[in-house]
Amino acid sequence: MSPKAALAFAALALVPVPAQATERLVALTPDAAEILVALGAAGEVVGRERTALDPAIKNAPVIGFSRSLAVEPVLALKPTLVIGSAAAQPAGIYGQLKRVGLNALKINQREDGADFADGIIKLGRAIGREDAARAAARRFEAGMKPASLTGRRILLSYDGKMVAGRGTPGDTLIRAAGGINAAASVDGFKTLNREAWIAARPELIVLAEHNRAVYGGLAAFSARPEVAATPAGRSGKVVEWPAGRFLRVSLDSPADAKALAGLAR
């Protein structure tokens, strides 16, 4: 090696080389993606579901929509670990991924989010960040404990007809806000008839804002006889929210619960 080449080699050796990612992670669902970001693993995410929009992973290739996934786009990214929740569809996607040799981890299997904190820890353990995951899980659980039990009757509706009953993310959010789910008499998301809306006696109604064209806007919705007859209708406590705030449990749910409690006062 010539003296000039030796000097060049020595200089090159002093240039910092970016650390190589220890994992190649693909997030099948937005809840998995947000946990990865929260645990500081955004730099290892090589694929994401299209509604996972955190700026930290915006450059990761999109592998599809969580409700309609396929193996091929995931396989093409050569991931070391694929993570998602029960929101990933079709239901057999995890088995399909494993059959082609991919390591696939399913977390957050309950729709109502009762296992969300456990899912954080499970994911953290899988990527070698268990301490950070346990701390994040503790913060989440603390944030989901209501500051007070207001007893306010709250109704969360997707489209002005379908409401969030027992066992839904919306039900979990209402309880975290210290309120009572006015639709607790039904399981899951169900459509209520006119009599059921009146019988529910909601004191606050929250509508998914992206469905404004379906329910006709707040004024038209509030004028419906079954809505106008409720405490919420009479007091003008009918509001719009982004659907994501009550259609799934997320790391933002503690803040959403606090906001919901404020609306119900």
Side-chain angles (χ1 to χ4, degrees), residues 67-225:
R67 295 295 183 178
S68 182
L69 294 165
V71 170
E72 292 76 13
V74 179
L75 185 62
L77 295 173
K78 298 181 173 58
T80 57
L81 179 62
V82 183
I83 314 105
S85 68
Q89 297 294 324
I93 187 66
Y94 293 97
Q96 294 171 20
L97 292 167
K98 290 176 180 178
R99 282 194 290 274
V100 297
L102 295 180
N103 184 14
L105 175 67
K106 186 178 182 180
I107 61 169
N108 306 343
Q109 301 193 46
R110 291 189 51 157
E111 186 180 356
D112 65 359
D115 60 348
F116 191 83
D118 290 337
I120 296 173
I121 296 171
K122 188 176 180 180
L123 192 159
R125 186 182 299 125
I127 63 173
R129 298 170 188 253
E130 186 170 352
D131 289 345
R134 288 190 178 279
R138 286 194 296 271
R139 289 193 298 272
F140 173 81
E141 290 181 314
M144 292 298 281
K145 292 178 180 177
S148 62
L149 299 176
T150 67
R152 298 291 187 181
R153 297 180 63 81
I154 302 171
L155 200 61
L156 304 178
S157 178
Y158 180 69
D159 57 1
K161 295 181 180 179
M162 189 175 291
V163 300
R166 290 189 304 265
T168 63
D171 183 60
T172 297
L173 189 67
I174 290 170
R175 286 185 283 108
I180 296 171
N181 188 354
S185 61
V186 300
D187 290 314
F189 279 92
K190 294 288 191 305
T191 297
L192 297 186
N193 60 29
R194 178 174 293 185
E195 292 74 20
W197 273 88
I198 296 172
R201 295 177 285 106
E203 296 169 278
L204 170 68
I205 298 172
V206 179
L207 300 162
E209 63 184 10
H210 77 282
N211 278 325
R212 191 173 298 138
V214 178
Y215 55 78
L218 288 180
F221 175 79
S222 299
R224 294 182 188 177

Side-chain angles (χ1 to χ4, degrees), residues 8 17 25 27 40 42 48 50 53 61 81 87 103 106 114 126 133 148 178 209-210 223 246-247 250 264:
V17 177
L25 307 173
R48 63 179 175 87
R50 78 181 190 199
L53 302 175
L81 179 62
N103 184 14
K106 186 178 182 180
S148 62
E209 63 184 10
H210 77 282
F246 62 86
L247 289 182
S250 73

